[in-house]
Amino acid sequence: RFDPFIKKMKEIIESGRIGDVVYYSSRFCSYNILLCSVTKHQKDHPYSLPMDTIHDTDLLHYFTGRIPDRVYACGYQAGNLEFSSAPNFLDVIYRYNDGKLGAMSHFDYVVHPQVHDLMIAGDKGYIGGDCMTGEITVGSTDGSKETLTVSRDGDDIYRAEWQSFIEAINGEHSPENPAESAIVATLLLQCQIDSAKAGKEVDVAEAAKAAGLTL
């Protein structure tokens, strides 16, 4: 949420340029996570994959402002790689009871070099973003298309995050992601895991109730 690239995408969406959001899709593919893992804990901890990629689950709520009603996830482990985790692939479909929004995510510990991109479609256009290059493409139903690149430094993103955290602790402003919002990503993460284990769709409201949460 402190990445200028993500903030720019959010700004474009909130400007109304692509209209009402009707579809969200994310893809986070990274064998690099396992290569860079110091402890290699993912090998012994099932479902580390959705935990490592929870930022994209948070972005679903951040960009759409909505909490899905149902979650279906399918996970599997495949490939002859030096490092792996169970599962090392996870596909997730989110369903909304009113049928006015569709969303899905793909995560894996296999693709290298890392691929991370987003697609958000509205009824007036779409916005696509390459998280690796910072390139954003905005298309319109009139056929026009604009491409821009947001330059940023990873260290600056972390500095901004910690600065905001310290200011929130000091009471200078409210947290960027307060508990009632942050818990959504954690709840959806649990729903992803529960669904993949059970092989069936999970009701988010029922999962929240079981966890003692009020959405």
Side-chain angles (χ1 to χ4, degrees):
R1 293 186 178 211
F2 294 90
D3 185 341
F5 165 79
I6 295 296
K7 293 171 75 172
K8 185 62 178 179
M9 290 190 69
K10 175 76 166 176
E11 176 188 314
I12 294 171
I13 293 168
E14 291 187 335
S15 73
R17 185 170 173 182
I18 67 169
D20 293 331
V21 174
V22 295
Y23 175 74
Y24 168 93
S25 174
S26 68
R27 184 175 57 160
F28 197 160
C29 316
S30 181
Y31 184 59
N32 195 53
I33 293 177
L34 299 185
L35 289 175
C36 294
S37 175
V38 175
T39 65
K40 307 302 181 190
H41 68 275
Q42 292 91 346
K43 174 175 64 71
D44 302 311
H45 290 78
Y47 294 96
S48 290
L49 178 58
M51 299 180 199
D52 278 339
T53 53
I54 194 171
H55 290 296
D56 271 32
T57 301
D58 173 64
L59 289 178
L60 168 65
H61 183 226
Y62 181 63
F63 283 134
T64 68
R66 298 193 57 185
I67 301 172
D69 296 291
R70 292 178 174 81
V71 174
Y72 176 75
C74 177
Y76 61 98
Q77 186 175 16
N80 184 23
L81 300 160
E82 180 181 1
F83 303 113
S84 190
S85 184
N88 60 354
F89 286 91
L90 190 73
D91 289 303
V92 186
I93 295 176
Y94 305 96
R95 289 210 300 137
Y96 299 80
N97 286 342
D98 64 6
K100 294 183 178 180
L101 176 63
M104 62 185 298
S105 295
H106 168 83
F107 308 118
D108 74 59
Y109 278 144
V110 174
V111 173
H112 189 67
Q114 181 169 295
V115 172
H116 188 193
D117 50 34
L118 300 160
M119 169 66 74
I120 299 120
D123 54 8
K124 294 182 181 178
Y126 73 88
I127 179 168
D130 186 329
C131 303
M132 306 307 299
T133 65
E135 185 175 282
I136 296 173
T137 301
V138 186
S140 174
T141 50
D142 65 10
S144 62
K145 186 169 71 171
E146 176 190 6
T147 300
L148 58 118
T149 300
V150 179
S151 60
R152 78 268 210 226
D153 179 87
D155 288 341
D156 288 340
I157 296 171
Y158 284 112
R159 291 188 185 99
E161 181 180 10
W162 280 104
Q163 184 63 39
S164 179
F165 175 76
I166 292 168
E167 291 171 355
I169 291 294
N170 290 334
E172 297 176 37
H173 57 71
S174 59
E176 159 62 30
N177 194 8
E180 57 269 23
S181 172
I183 200 66
V184 172
T186 309
L187 174 63
L188 294 180
L189 164 65
Q190 188 61 56
C191 289
Q192 292 167 0
I193 295 172
D194 291 346
S195 174
K197 285 182 176 180
K200 62 181 182 180
E201 197 173 61
V202 170
D203 186 291
V204 176
E206 289 181 2
K209 184 179 180 181
L213 301 174
T214 301
L215 298 180

